[in-house]
Amino acid sequence: MSSKIEGVRAREVLDSRGNPTVEAEAWTKNSVARAMVPSGASTGVHEALELRDKDARFMGKGVAKAVSNVNKTIAKKIVGMDCTEQDAVDGFMIELDGTENKSRLGANAILSVSMAVSRLAAIEEGVPLYRHIGRLSKNKKFLLPVPSMNVLNGGVHAGNKLDIQEYMILPAGAKSFREALEISAEVYQNLKTVIKEKYGKDAINVGDEGGFAPPLSRPEEPLDLIMAAIEKAGHEKKVKLGVDAAASEFFEQDKNGRKAAKGNYVLEGVELTPGRLMERYGQMLDSYPIVSLEDAFSQDDWPAWSSFTGRYGGRVQVVGDDLLVTNVKRIEKALKEKACNTLLLKINQIGSITESIAAARLSMESGWNVMVSHRSGETEDPYIADLAVGLGAGELKAGAPCRSERTAKYNQLLRIEEELGNKAVYARMF
Ligand code: PGA
Ligand code: ZN
């Protein structure tokens, strides 16, 4: 049997922020595949555990223990298994770990192997990764996703005073992914000009996800700048907006250390109750073409989520990131509480491909949208581009059309679109 796993090996490599992460390789007699794990900065407290060494190396961020868990514990037991049986391989690693949040072996250790094994299976089957993921998730409808491109960075991803983390453009009116990418790149370059004209050439540095990070603090100002750039590029009819507030980061205390009373938020240095914050979002939705709003409230502020979704869920995607952490149990709770209507799918929040697929399927079957997502600490691995197409998710958030760890995903989508030829379908989401 040629799809028998002959070996697995991991190593410590660097991510896009210059921090260590895990890369794994898995091989059969005839093939070898490799994959790299991403890492977040505004991580949710309910995410699976990313194992870091916390010793003198790399300011405590080394992943030598996770690498050793792959090489010494996982590898031995995985050898001999069939790489096309993803459920069995992932199930085995989950059992071997034995904890609720993968804290023994590390979600980064388990995910690196899970990703590498799925890619190996695709090679063994002689199909592109997205087709293999289609098989695993029982999806036959491949879709080129609408990208959500974070063109202006704030929060913990940038050194400015903006509390809201991400301001995104969604080229939903394009006819193909290639056109979507072209439109986005043109808006991005025009945004650079708009920012330079208003704030000078010192203001065009970029943040962790490749978006500009000018010295702003008013939450609506980025939306004005982006609207000016869209107009300058002549793409008003084709581009919508998205926002990821990442509100867990300004809940009860903001990044500048300003504290609020229990249950309140701090926006632009001003304390807001969840109700007031909701009104502020409502004004934004009335004033700008926003179609997607992520993590508008903190990760355990369930009442605020439910009341926001009740009020605005009919006109905007209410996306759960820190709220859901790609975890079926939290998705089930959110369904019951009607707390959101879209899953943000991050493979390293849960730590295996099988569980990521289960989270996507439950969401889709429940009538939600699914947006596959990168992390702010990324790698050159384009895995999530294939994942988005294979799942038929219709949406992918992978940063600005700038910096190679982000464009690696978009460029992979160009290749997939080309390969699908006249069968390629660009998702109609908004
Ligand atoms: P993170 O940011 O990867 O730093 O968590 C991305 C997001 O919040 O969506
Ligand atoms: Zn988010």
Side-chain angles (χ1 to χ4, degrees), residues 215-229:
L216 313 176
S217 56
R218 192 171 60 86
E220 291 79 5
E221 194 157 10
L223 298 168
D224 292 329
L225 296 174
I226 294 169
M227 290 309 290

Side-chain angles (χ1 to χ4, degrees), residues 46-48 94 98-102 299-300 302 320-340 343 349-350 354-363 366 368:
H46 303 289
E47 293 190 22
I94 291 164
T99 67
E100 187 69 24
N101 65 346
K102 301 189 174 63
Q299 52 213 335
D300 289 308
W302 293 93
D321 171 11
D322 289 358
L323 178 78
L324 304 173
V325 292
T326 317
N327 183 319
V328 162
K329 286 190 187 143
R330 290 190 64 92
I331 295 169
E332 278 164 353
K333 180 166 159 81
L335 283 166
K336 213 165 86 208
E337 312 241 340
K338 296 190 172 51
C340 61
L343 166 72
Q349 280 183 329
I350 191 67
T354 301
E355 290 163 293
S356 299
I357 290 173
R361 288 202 55 174
L362 171 61
S363 302
S366 308
W368 283 7

Side-chain angles (χ1 to χ4, degrees), residues 72-327:
K72 300 217 171 90
T73 309
I74 296 173
K76 262 189 264 158
K77 314 263 179 164
I78 293 284
V79 166
M81 293 185 87
D82 187 330
C83 66
T84 63
E85 290 178 9
Q86 191 73 33
D87 294 16
V89 172
D90 287 342
F92 182 80
M93 288 192 285
I94 291 164
E95 209 170 290
L96 192 63
D97 175 82
T99 67
E100 187 69 24
N101 65 346
K102 301 189 174 63
S103 54
R104 192 167 92 81
L105 297 172
N108 42 354
I110 294 172
L111 181 63
S112 71
V113 176
S114 184
M115 292 168 79
V117 164
S118 58
R119 190 172 264 146
L120 183 62
I123 299 170
E124 283 290 319
E125 289 169 343
V127 296
L129 179 58
Y130 71 87
R131 282 189 190 273
H132 176 60
I133 287 167
R135 272 180 211 173
L136 292 177
S137 63
K138 302 189 172 56
N139 170 52
K140 290 199 183 81
K141 208 171 138 213
F142 300 128
L143 284 177
L144 271 302
V146 175
S148 271
M149 301 210 181
N150 181 7
V151 292
L152 207 145
N153 297 185
V156 296
H157 296 165
N160 54 22
K161 292 202 160 58
L162 281 172
D163 297 296
I164 288 185
Q165 182 178 281
E166 302 174 17
Y167 295 86
M168 292 168 279
I169 51 170
L170 289 79
K175 293 205 166 44
S176 64
F177 182 77
R178 177 169 288 281
E179 194 201 347
L181 192 58
E182 191 176 312
I183 289 169
S184 305
E186 288 175 4
V187 173
Y188 182 79
Q189 298 304 339
N190 274 285
L191 181 59
K192 187 176 192 170
T193 308
V194 169
I195 293 172
K196 215 193 279 184
E197 280 168 6
K198 190 148 185 206
Y199 300 98
K201 62 177 172 33
D202 295 342
I204 50 157
N205 293 335
V206 300
D208 281 354
E209 296 189 349
F212 299 108
L216 313 176
S217 56
R218 192 171 60 86
E220 291 79 5
E221 194 157 10
L223 298 168
D224 292 329
L225 296 174
I226 294 169
M227 290 309 290
I230 292 171
E231 202 176 307
K232 214 167 155 65
H235 292 312
E236 298 95 316
K237 291 205 175 72
K238 294 187 171 169
V239 182
K240 305 282 187 206
L241 302 185
V243 168
D244 177 5
S248 303
E249 302 293 330
F250 56 88
F251 181 61
E252 296 179 348
Q253 178 168 2
D254 71 1
K255 69 172 177 179
N256 305 307
R258 173 85 204 252
K259 287 197 168 53
K262 204 166 179 311
N264 284 352
Y265 295 81
V266 190
L267 200 55
E268 220 187 337
V270 179
E271 183 165 343
L272 299 176
T273 61
R276 286 257 177 252
L277 182 58
M278 197 172 320
E279 279 168 27
R280 189 74 174 260
Y281 290 136
Q283 286 160 5
M284 279 189 208
L285 296 180
D286 289 341
S287 314
Y288 303 93
I290 295 172
V291 293
S292 184
L293 179 50
E294 179 182 332
D295 278 2
F297 302 94
S298 187
Q299 52 213 335
D300 289 308
D301 196 353
W302 293 93
W305 276 93
S306 298
S307 95
F308 184 80
T309 302
R311 190 151 162 204
Y312 296 105
R315 61 189 261 208
V316 69
Q317 263 195 170
V318 184
V319 186
D321 171 11
D322 289 358
L323 178 78
L324 304 173
V325 292
T326 317
N327 183 319

Side-chain angles (χ1 to χ4, degrees), residues 342-360:
T342 301
L343 166 72
L344 192 80
L345 191 156
K346 290 170 164 171
I347 50 180
N348 81 321
Q349 280 183 329
I350 191 67
S352 77
I353 296 305
T354 301
E355 290 163 293
S356 299
I357 290 173

